[in-house]
């Protein structure tokens, strides 16, 4: 066993705004905002996981681009990594989240993100061209 399993998170940016999704669970994270994503399945590439997770969670088709920001170690040997994503088809819908929001750089600095995603804010602000 190599041990490490990856969780991908997608930075979907359009017209200078980043898509954030509001969690419904677990109770301690409900109401907080995150980059949409989830666990890479065995045998799946991170890029394929980004495409699958955004299809499942938002109902859109995306392409996955370069990694951004630092690795975030999670519990149980999981590591969280962020990737850029480009919208190819569809309009994001909150299929598994409480709500979605497109935020600009200023709003990103003010919104209540999950702790795990907070370290990416400087890179995300730079991508938003603030
Ligand atoms: O969404 P899911 O439960 O599959 O995510 C797996 C793990 O990754 C969870 O612990 C979740 O809190 C974490 N995660 C995160 N930030 C994200 C996406 C997932 O901390 N943007």
């Amino acid at each position: 066993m190599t041990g490490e399993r990856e969780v991908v998170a997608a930075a979907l940016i359009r017209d200078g705004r980043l898509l954030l999704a509001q969690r419904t669970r677990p109770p301690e994270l409900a109401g907080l905002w995150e980059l949409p994503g989830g666990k890479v399945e065995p045998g799946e590439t991170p890029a394929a996981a980004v495409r699958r997770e955004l299809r499942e969670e938002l109902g859109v088709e995306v392409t996955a681009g370069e990694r951004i920001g630092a690795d975030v170690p999670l519990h149980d040997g999981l590591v969280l990594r962020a990737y850029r994503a480009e919208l190819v088809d569809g309009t994001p819908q909150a299929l598994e989240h409480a709500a979605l929001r497109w935020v600009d750089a200023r709003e990103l600095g003010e919104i209540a993100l999950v702790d795990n995603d907070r370290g990416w804010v400087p890179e995300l602000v730079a991508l938003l061209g603030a």
Side-chain angles (χ1 to χ4, degrees), residues 7-10 23 25-26 29 33-39 53 57 72 74-75 78 80 96-97 114-117 120:
V7 178
V8 295
R23 289 196 66 111
R25 65 176 175 83
L29 297 182
W33 296 82
E34 68 176 4
L35 303 188
K39 289 194 191 78
E53 289 286 351
E57 297 185 357
V72 181
L74 303 178
H75 53 87
L78 290 171
L80 176 64
E96 298 183 1
H97 287 89
V114 296
D115 277 346
N116 289 335
D117 294 15
W120 299 326

Side-chain angles (χ1 to χ4, degrees), residues 15-127:
D15 300 330
R17 289 173 181 264
L18 170 74
L19 188 78
L20 292 179
Q22 189 177 35
R23 289 196 66 111
T24 61
R25 65 176 175 83
E28 60 272 21
L29 297 182
L32 300 178
W33 296 82
E34 68 176 4
L35 303 188
K39 289 194 191 78
V40 178
E41 299 290 347
E44 188 179 46
T45 64
V50 167
R51 294 193 298 272
R52 177 182 51 74
E53 289 286 351
L54 270 60
R55 201 177 293 134
E56 291 172 1
E57 297 185 357
L58 308 177
V60 294
E61 295 299 322
V62 303
T63 55
E66 74 264 29
R67 274 189 60 192
I68 59 154
D71 285 8
V72 181
L74 303 178
H75 53 87
D76 300 331
L78 290 171
V79 60
L80 176 64
R81 294 197 175 110
Y83 293 84
R84 291 206 57 172
E86 298 271 352
L87 197 54
V88 174
D89 193 39
T91 300
Q93 299 163 259
L95 301 176
E96 298 183 1
H97 287 89
L100 302 178
R101 246 183 97 174
W102 292 97
V103 296
D104 64 19
R106 184 185 58 80
E107 293 163 335
L108 178 60
E110 293 171 355
I111 202 164
L113 293 178
V114 296
D115 277 346
N116 289 335
D117 294 15
R118 222 168 265 156
W120 299 326
V121 167
E123 283 90 352
L124 292 168
V125 165
L127 287 174

